[in-house]
Amino acid sequence: VVWAVFKGSMLNKLILVPAAMAISALAPWAIVPLLMLGGAYLCFEGFEKVAHKFLHSPDEDAEHHQELVAAVANPKVDLVAFEKNKVKGAIRTDFILSAEIIVITLGTVAGASFGKQLAVLSLIALAMTVGVYGLVAGIVKLDDLGLYLSRLKGAGQRRLGLWLLAAAPYFMKTLSVVGTAAMFIVGGSILVHGIEPLHHFIQHGGEHVQQMGAPGWIGGLAVILMETLVGLIAGGLV
């Protein structure tokens, strides 16, 4: 499944890098609106996950979990085909995130030559894809590593393996929560930066918190929380 999403991500980059170069050359005014559309979509994805949590009963979730367990246990089931909708959704979300990263990267090399822009975008696209999905593949195999270590002779290795086996499900759940929060934080921040009056209002709010005697990181946290709130509201509206 990870390999299927990785291939989809590479295809996304092959489309996005030339598209970003063309937009930069022919319609640079379109970059900010496109970024904001991407930000709004990220907020929508995050809100959809939150809504799913509250609008589905525990029995429905348990039934879906049993389907997954049965599919994994059955060697005749093609997991990529079974997870077809999730794979498509992951590739779609990857397309949006990739577009955001590529456009932001393009902004940092806007004054460079065409060749340098193309080289930087291509390297970032390749490094992000290999790095991110290499990390994802490692996380997915974490419990297999734990199982392998738990069968070794060394007492320390066995303890580490058992700990990894016990921790892996909680780690995955934590990643799910952090990933959903990140959609609101990133999407909300993009939307806020694209709406100048709102951006100034939120920045002023963060500065006001600091002027009240709070440490600098509290002001920064207040800004992030306000941007996240914007992301949450935008996701609900979308």
Side-chain angles (χ1 to χ4, degrees), residues 106-231:
L106 185 62
T108 64
V109 292
S113 64
F114 177 85
K116 189 172 182 180
Q117 287 183 358
L118 183 60
V120 170
L121 286 180
S122 300
L123 282 171
I124 291 292
L126 184 62
M128 287 296 297
T129 308
V130 173
V132 167
Y133 290 102
L135 179 62
V136 170
I139 291 169
V140 167
K141 301 298 284 183
L142 196 62
D143 51 353
D144 288 325
L145 174 62
L147 185 62
Y148 169 76
L149 289 173
S150 70
R151 291 172 173 172
L152 296 180
K153 291 181 180 179
Q157 292 170 319
R158 287 202 304 273
R159 278 198 298 271
L160 177 59
L162 291 170
W163 181 83
L164 284 174
L165 281 170
Y170 299 101
F171 180 59
M172 296 296 277
K173 286 178 182 177
T174 302
L175 281 181
S176 179
V177 173
V178 170
T180 302
M183 286 183 171
F184 291 122
I185 294 168
V186 175
S189 176
I190 290 167
L191 291 174
V192 166
H193 279 76
I195 304 171
E196 202 66 32
L198 183 59
H199 176 58
H200 283 308
F201 174 77
I202 288 177
Q203 287 297 317
H204 181 71
E207 290 167 5
H208 182 67
V209 169
Q210 287 178 266
Q211 287 168 3
M212 291 171 65
W217 66 269
I218 293 288
L221 181 62
V223 169
I224 291 171
L225 289 174
M226 286 187 279
E227 289 178 344
T228 304
L229 181 60
V230 169

Side-chain angles (χ1 to χ4, degrees), residues 48-128:
E48 191 179 41
K49 290 180 187 297
V50 173
H52 178 89
K53 183 73 177 175
F54 290 104
L55 297 178
H56 287 73
S57 68
D59 292 338
E60 287 178 294
D61 290 336
E63 184 181 341
H64 177 62
H65 178 70
Q66 287 306 315
E67 287 177 7
L68 291 176
V69 170
V72 171
N74 188 349
K76 294 180 181 178
V77 173
D78 181 350
L79 285 180
V80 174
F82 183 76
E83 294 278 29
K84 193 174 180 180
N85 287 334
K86 278 197 175 181
V87 169
K88 282 184 177 177
I91 292 171
R92 190 168 56 244
T93 303
D94 173 273
F95 186 89
I96 301 298
L97 284 168
S98 298
E100 306 285 288
I101 291 165
I102 285 170
V103 170
I104 290 166
T105 304
L106 185 62
T108 64
V109 292
S113 64
F114 177 85
K116 189 172 182 180
Q117 287 183 358
L118 183 60
V120 170
L121 286 180
S122 300
L123 282 171
I124 291 292
L126 184 62
M128 287 296 297

